[in-house]
Amino acid sequence: QRDLVSFDPATGAMKTEYSKPGTNLDAPLFDAKRKLIGVAYSVSGRRVVEYLDLDQQGISQRLAQAFPGASVEMLDRDDSGNNLILIVSEGAGPNRIYHLDLSRKTARQLGESTP
């Protein structure tokens, strides 16, 4: 198991930011201001993104409903938080890249990439 731990070099304090038994974290996820918003890990070979921020959790739940059975990860987000670039993967096929406009509630596929 790998935990996500922050370290403050000024004080020497360490803090566990995320821990989930039986999970090896792949990466922390940060917003544009370098605030921790989530973590990524793998379960049975499938990438899972778990958001720690409540706003992000709500978006993540809506994305899971919009793309059932797929792994959805946010690649980028504008400063307003309304425009997102997503990568959607469903097993062995190509990953699909989408632009999602939360204010207009629209999604447009931009292209595909290899997994």
Side-chain angles (χ1 to χ4, degrees):
Q1 171 179 327
R2 293 186 189 140
D3 295 338
L4 180 61
V5 178
S6 63
F7 173 71
D8 184 339
T11 65
M14 293 179 63
K15 177 183 173 189
T16 300
E17 301 289 344
Y18 182 86
S19 180
K20 187 171 191 169
T23 302
N24 289 324
L25 299 179
D26 294 335
L29 305 173
F30 298 97
D31 66 9
K33 296 179 182 174
R34 300 295 298 159
K35 176 187 168 199
L36 178 67
I37 60 169
V39 295
Y41 55 89
S42 296
V43 174
S44 301
R46 183 171 168 221
R47 187 169 170 92
V48 175
V49 175
E50 187 173 330
Y51 290 100
L52 309 175
D53 177 87
L54 291 178
D55 289 336
Q56 292 296 117
Q57 286 176 3
I59 292 170
S60 180
Q61 290 170 352
R62 289 182 10 217
L63 293 175
Q65 291 170 350
F67 301 99
S71 176
V72 181
E73 186 173 350
M74 187 178 1
L75 294 178
D76 205 359
R77 185 178 195 167
D78 70 356
D79 290 339
S80 73
N82 287 320
N83 292 287
L84 289 74
I85 302 296
L86 308 173
I87 188 160
V88 179
S89 57
E90 296 179 89
N95 294 332
R96 293 172 290 149
I97 302 168
Y98 285 88
H99 167 249
L100 178 66
D101 185 330
L102 292 174
S103 61
R104 293 183 182 167
K105 298 181 181 175
T106 60
R108 179 173 54 96
Q109 186 172 342
L110 301 175
E112 295 182 342
S113 68
T114 57

